[in-house]
Amino acid sequence: MLRRNTHPLGLTRAAAVLLGAVALAACGGDGGDAGSGGAGGAGATGGPGATGGPGATGGPGATGGPGATGGPGATTGPGGGTDTTVSTGASPDTTVSTGASPATTGTGGSASCPGGVDITPPSGNPFAGGRLFVDPEYVAKVESSIAMVTDEALIAKMRKVQEIPTAFWLDRIAAVERLPGHLDKALELQNQLCEPVIPVVVVYDLPNRDCFAEASNGELHLNENGTERYRNEFILPIKEILAARPNQRIILIIEPDSLPNIATNLGGKRCDQETADSYEANVAFALKELNMPHVYQYIDAAHSGWLGWEDNQKKGAEIFARVIKAAGSPASVRGFATNVANYTLLRYSEGEESYDQQDNPCYGEFDYVNAMGRALEAEGLGDKHFIIDTSRNGVGGIRGDWGYWCNNIGAGMGERPKANPGGATRLDAFYWVKPPGDSDGVGQPDQPRYDLFCGKEDADTRAPQAGAWFHEYFVECVKNANPPL
C-alpha cells in the first residue's frame, strides 16, 4: 500500500529559490491537457529511508477487490454479471463492456466471428482499439449498495458506476481459481461482439508483501517457503491460465507497492535486505513467466508523493531497470502503473493542498509520469509507457498530510478510464485499478491488521478490513465524483 515517506533531504533543504530551479528541471516538462485528478496518496515525502506507503492493494476476499491491502481473510463471492454491453463514451478509441453474454467456447473464433478477432492493439497501446471489460463481481458489489439506498438520483449515479471497468485483483493464491471464469466472461463477450474485450488483472501476492504496511500484509512469508509457494502456487498457475487464452488481449498490473518500498523503506519495519532481494527476484520471475505475445505488463511505480523527489526517481528507475534486465527484458513489459489505490491529483493548483510538500518537484501524477519517464530513459528504458489510477483522485484538499493513504474522508471518483488521455508523455491510459468502495484497511484499533494510518484524523474509521466492501465510503466517492457521474 502506498504509504507515507519522510524525505530527510526535503526537511533540511533551505535554499528554496535554488531548489525551485532544480525542481522544475526534475519534474517539469510537458503538462499536456486532460482533466484534473484527485487527491493525494501515500508518501508525503519519499526520500531515502522514508516510509513507502500503502494504498495500493487489494484485500483478501474471493472478490479480489483491492482495498488497501491483501492478506488472508474473509472472502466475498463472485458476483453476477449483466447481459448487456455498455459504452460510456469515455474515449474515442476505448469503450467499456459489462460481463456476461451468450456463451461461446474456445479461444479462437466463434460462430459469429468465424475468422476470429484481431486483438492487436493500435500503436501498441493495449487500452486502445477495444472494449475494457467490466468486472461482474464489482457490478454485484455496487448492486449491494444500490439495494441499501432510496435516493433515485444517487441510484442513477451508481448505475453509471456499474458501467465502468475496474481491475480484477489476484491478492492471494485462492483467488487464482476465479481467474478462468473472469477471463472466459470477457472472451464470451469478445466472441459476441467480434472485437477485443480487454480484462485488466492485478498480480499481488509477493512473500513479505507490503513490508512497511500493516493493513496490507499478505499470506506468504519468506521464512515459510514463501518464494516457492509464490512461484509454484501463484505465478505458474496464472501463467498456465493466460497461456490457454492466446486470442485474448490481457493487461497485468504487477505487484503494487513492492519495488518502491526497496527505494525508500529499506531497513524499516519488515523491509530488510532479504525481503528487498526477494522482491526483485520474484518480480523478475513474474515478469519473465508471464511474458506472452497477448499479455501486456505494467509494473507498479508508486506515485508522485512517494518517488517524486529526484533522488527517489533515480533510485526507483535503477531498481526497475535492474529487475527488468534480470527478467530478460521481456517484450510484454509495456511500462508502469502509478497512483495505484492512491489519491494523488493529476495536477495541483496553487493552494489546493495545505500540507508541506517538502520540496517535491512533482506536484501531481502528470509531473511525476514525465519525470519518471526521464529517469527511466537514463536507465535505457525510454520506450516505456504509463497508466494512472484515477479511481479515487477526483478531489483535492482532503488530507492533512501527503502520506495519509487510508480511506480518506471526502474522496471522490476521478477521471473515467480512457486510452490516450494526454497530459503526460507516453501516457497509455487513465484506469480504475482500485475498485472504489473496497476498503483500504480496518479503522478500529482493536481489530487484526490495524494500521495507524487507518486511524488518522482524515481517515474514515468505520472501515472494515482491507478489501472488504465499504458501502458508506462508496456512497461518498459517488457523491464526490469529479467529473460528476
Side-chain angles (χ1 to χ4, degrees):
M1 313 291 315
L2 304 177
R3 250 204 183 98
R4 167 179 170 72
N5 300 310
T6 318
H7 194 301
L9 297 178
L11 294 174
T12 58
R13 290 170 181 160
V17 175
L18 292 176
L19 285 172
V22 173
L24 289 174
C27 232
D30 337 348
D33 44 20
S36 59
T45 119
T51 104
T57 130
T63 121
T69 135
T75 79
T76 56
T82 70
D83 291 327
T84 58
T85 300
V86 180
S87 174
T88 63
S91 155
D93 51 7
T94 304
T95 55
V96 297
S97 299
T98 60
S101 64
T104 57
T105 58
T107 57
S110 67
S112 58
C113 311
V117 176
D118 183 2
I119 62 171
T120 307
S123 304
N125 182 355
F127 286 87
R131 293 175 178 254
L132 297 171
F133 184 57
V134 174
D135 179 12
E137 293 185 9
Y138 185 67
V139 172
K141 288 191 279 188
V142 175
E143 191 67 35
S144 72
S145 283
I146 290 174
M148 298 172 68
V149 300
T150 58
D151 183 328
E152 291 299 327
L154 181 59
I155 289 173
K157 292 180 178 180
M158 291 181 176
R159 293 288 181 206
K160 292 181 180 179
V161 175
Q162 288 182 310
E163 302 173 1
I164 299 173
T166 56
F168 183 83
W169 284 65
L170 299 177
D171 56 3
R172 57 196 180 92
I173 290 169
V176 177
E177 67 185 24
R178 294 171 22 253
L179 180 59
H182 180 79
L183 298 179
D184 287 348
K185 287 175 182 175
L187 180 61
E188 289 167 7
L189 191 55
Q190 175 171 295
N191 287 338
Q192 178 194 14
L193 301 173
C194 298
E195 65 176 296
V197 174
I198 309 150
V200 179
V201 178
V202 179
V203 176
Y204 178 63
D205 200 26
L206 274 179
N208 290 15
R209 187 179 68 193
D210 281 355
C211 59
F212 210 85
E214 304 297 337
S216 46
N217 296 339
E219 63 183 351
L220 301 178
H221 306 280
L222 290 176
N223 62 357
E224 298 174 356
N225 298 316
T227 290
E228 291 77 9
R229 295 195 65 198
Y230 177 75
R231 296 183 178 192
N232 296 323
E233 298 178 44
F234 188 67
I235 294 300
L236 293 182
I238 294 171
K239 175 184 179 180
E240 182 178 2
I241 292 166
L242 300 184
R245 292 159 174 81
N247 292 326
Q248 281 185 274
R249 188 195 309 171
I250 301 169
I251 296 170
L252 303 180
I253 311 298
I254 302 297
E255 295 295 351
D257 291 345
S258 57
L259 301 181
N261 265 316
I262 301 175
T264 64
N265 295 326
L266 190 60
K269 291 193 176 181
R270 297 175 305 282
C271 301
D272 56 20
Q273 190 61 53
E274 181 185 19
T275 296
D277 293 343
S278 75
Y279 278 12
E280 292 198 26
N282 284 317
V283 170
F285 181 86
L287 295 176
K288 180 179 179 180
E289 294 299 324
L290 302 177
N291 179 38
M292 304 174 206
H294 63 296
V295 173
Y296 298 80
Q297 302 187 71
Y298 292 83
I299 303 167
D300 180 75
H303 59 94
S304 62
W306 189 341
L307 298 184
W309 289 263
E310 190 171 9
D311 50 344
N312 285 353
Q313 295 168 27
K314 185 175 187 298
K315 284 190 294 184
E318 290 172 348
I319 292 167
F320 298 146
R322 191 162 64 235
V323 169
I324 291 173
K325 182 178 180 181
S329 300
S332 72
V333 177
R334 171 73 177 178
F336 297 86
T338 80
N339 203 42
V340 172
N342 221 280
Y343 301 83
T344 305
L345 294 168
L346 294 177
R347 62 161 64 91
Y348 287 89
S349 302
E350 185 176 354
E352 194 160 5
E353 296 289 357
S354 60
Y355 51 73
D356 181 6
Q357 291 184 313
Q358 300 186 32
D359 298 318
N360 186 342
C362 297
Y363 297 142
E365 289 306 289
F366 285 155
D367 284 347
Y368 176 60
V369 165
N370 289 330
M372 181 55 75
R374 291 190 291 272
L376 289 167
E377 188 171 6
E379 298 298 326
L381 297 174
D383 62 333
K384 299 306 178 188
H385 294 246
F386 293 86
I387 67 170
I388 299 173
D389 184 356
T390 57
S391 58
R392 301 183 303 175
N393 73 340
V395 182
I398 63 173
R399 299 176 296 173
D401 189 286
W402 208 340
Y404 290 177
W405 53 266
C406 190
N407 302 312
N408 288 310
I409 297 169
M413 298 168 178
E415 291 284 344
R416 313 304 179 252
K418 66 179 73 172
N420 301 313
T425 56
R426 297 193 298 276
L427 183 58
D428 278 348
F430 296 149
Y431 188 77
W432 286 16
V433 182
K434 163 86 172 185
D438 284 346
S439 173
D440 289 326
V442 68
Q444 303 84 51
D446 60 342
Q447 295 299 307
R449 300 168 73 228
Y450 171 75
D451 192 293
L452 291 175
F453 279 88
C454 297
K456 294 289 187 182
E457 64 273 17
D458 294 326
D460 191 329
T461 57
R462 300 172 295 175
Q465 287 287 343
W469 187 247
F470 188 1
H471 165 74
E472 294 82 3
Y473 197 74
F474 171 72
V475 169
E476 292 306 307
C477 285
V478 170
K479 290 179 177 178
N480 297 332
N482 179 30
L485 290 161

